């Protein structure tokens, strides 16, 4: 059995934070960190080895492509629906540019549908947690958001997702000032657990 350091694991879990793009310094994150994040995501639990996670990584000019795609899709859809908001359009067109990398998070449905969808979504969420923890271990900020075009059916082809697949949001990644790492807060675990003997 490998020699694990449980105290280090406990510390990593307790120090993980959602750190938003507005807090990023603009310094690029080393691509090795991103590769570590997605490799570790691949080791998430998966029922029947369906490995439903799919990721599309945007950086450099790719961030502008993502920004243009999502802002224009929002404009088309909201104009049709009669609820276009210029400030939301501008946010979608500029927010991606604050990040070093953005990882689009997809869930590909098992063609046999032999695993309940909720289990597939849960597997992807655990893969994202692995990315969060890896980023924390490298002192890198990240934030999982489900805004923008996440729930637009017409967005799926851009992310190479089929009709039964799901886009589950975006993991924004950026360098941060480590001296300003946010403090955490949680209510006591005893308020949320009942022990049955």
């Amino acid at each position: 059995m490998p020699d694990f350091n449980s105290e280090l694991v406990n510390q990593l879990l307790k120090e993980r934070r959602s750190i938003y793009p507005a807090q990023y310094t603009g310094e690029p994150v080393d691509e090795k960190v991103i590769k570590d994040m997605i490799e570790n995501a691949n080791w998430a639990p998966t029922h029947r080895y369906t490995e439903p996670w799919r990721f599309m990584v945007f950086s450099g000019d790719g961030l502008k492509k993502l920004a243009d795609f999502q802002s224009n899709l929002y404009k088309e859809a909201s104009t049709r629906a009669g609820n276009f908001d210029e400030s939301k359009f501008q946010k979608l067109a500029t927010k991606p540019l604050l990040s070093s990398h953005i990882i689009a998070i997809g869930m590909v449905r098992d063609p046999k549908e032999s695993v309940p969808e909720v289990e597939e979504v849960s597997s992807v969420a655990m893969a994202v947690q692995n990315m969060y923890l890896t980023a924390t271990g490298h002192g890198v900020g990240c934030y999982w958001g489900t805004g923008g075009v996440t729930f637009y059916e017409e967005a799926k082809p851009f992310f190479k997702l089929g009709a039964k697949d799901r886009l589950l949001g975006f993991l924004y990644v950026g360098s941060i000032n480590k001296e300003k790492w946010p403090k955490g807060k949680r209510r006591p675990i005893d308020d949320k657990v009942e022990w049955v003997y």
Side-chain angles (χ1 to χ4, degrees):
M1 179 175 174
D3 184 22
F4 294 114
N5 183 333
S6 60
E7 286 308 310
L8 188 58
V9 171
N10 291 342
Q11 180 187 357
L12 191 62
L13 289 164
K14 290 174 183 173
E15 292 299 329
R16 185 219 52 83
R17 299 285 178 271
S18 289
I19 301 177
Y20 305 98
Q23 297 170 272
Y24 300 160
T25 63
E27 188 95 9
V29 171
D30 190 321
E31 200 154 286
K32 184 197 177 307
V33 173
I34 306 301
K35 288 178 179 175
D36 282 353
M37 290 169 66
I38 56 180
E39 176 61 31
N40 289 345
N42 200 40
W43 290 94
T46 171
H47 191 182
R48 297 189 182 170
Y49 295 100
T50 58
E51 300 177 32
W53 44 82
R54 295 295 184 277
F55 306 114
M56 188 175 283
V57 182
F58 297 87
S59 65
D61 291 341
L63 294 168
K64 178 73 170 127
K65 289 175 188 169
L66 174 61
D68 290 346
F69 169 75
Q70 70 173 7
S71 59
N72 289 327
L73 178 56
Y74 164 74
K75 186 173 189 175
E76 290 168 22
S78 61
T79 300
R80 272 195 315 271
N83 59 0
F84 175 73
D85 178 340
E86 179 65 29
S87 64
K88 185 170 182 180
F89 172 80
Q90 290 300 328
K91 185 177 177 184
L92 290 169
T94 58
K95 184 178 174 184
L97 308 179
L98 299 174
S99 299
S100 171
H101 293 74
I102 295 177
I103 304 171
I105 303 161
M107 184 277 292
V108 173
R109 193 75 172 104
D110 172 31
K112 299 175 191 169
E113 296 186 21
S114 60
V115 176
E117 185 182 49
V118 66
E119 293 185 15
E120 302 285 61
V121 171
S122 297
S123 282
V124 174
M126 287 186 273
V128 173
Q129 175 74 339
N130 285 2
M131 289 196 284
Y132 252 123
L133 294 173
T134 304
T136 301
H138 284 283
V140 166
C142 64
Y143 157 68
W144 183 4
T146 56
V149 297
T150 298
F151 303 112
Y152 287 40
E153 283 297 313
E154 56 267 57
K156 289 179 179 179
F158 182 82
F159 299 100
K160 298 185 171 55
L161 297 170
K164 292 188 176 181
D165 304 335
R166 288 188 183 265
L167 179 60
L168 297 177
F170 303 92
L171 193 68
Y172 298 84
V173 183
S175 296
I176 65 160
N177 180 340
K178 294 180 183 121
E179 292 170 9
K180 294 185 178 179
W181 196 269
K183 298 279 183 219
K185 57 182 178 181
R186 288 291 187 272
R187 296 186 309 279
I189 190 62
D190 289 342
D191 296 349
K192 306 166 204 167
V193 177
E194 181 177 345
W195 295 82
V196 181
Y197 297 100

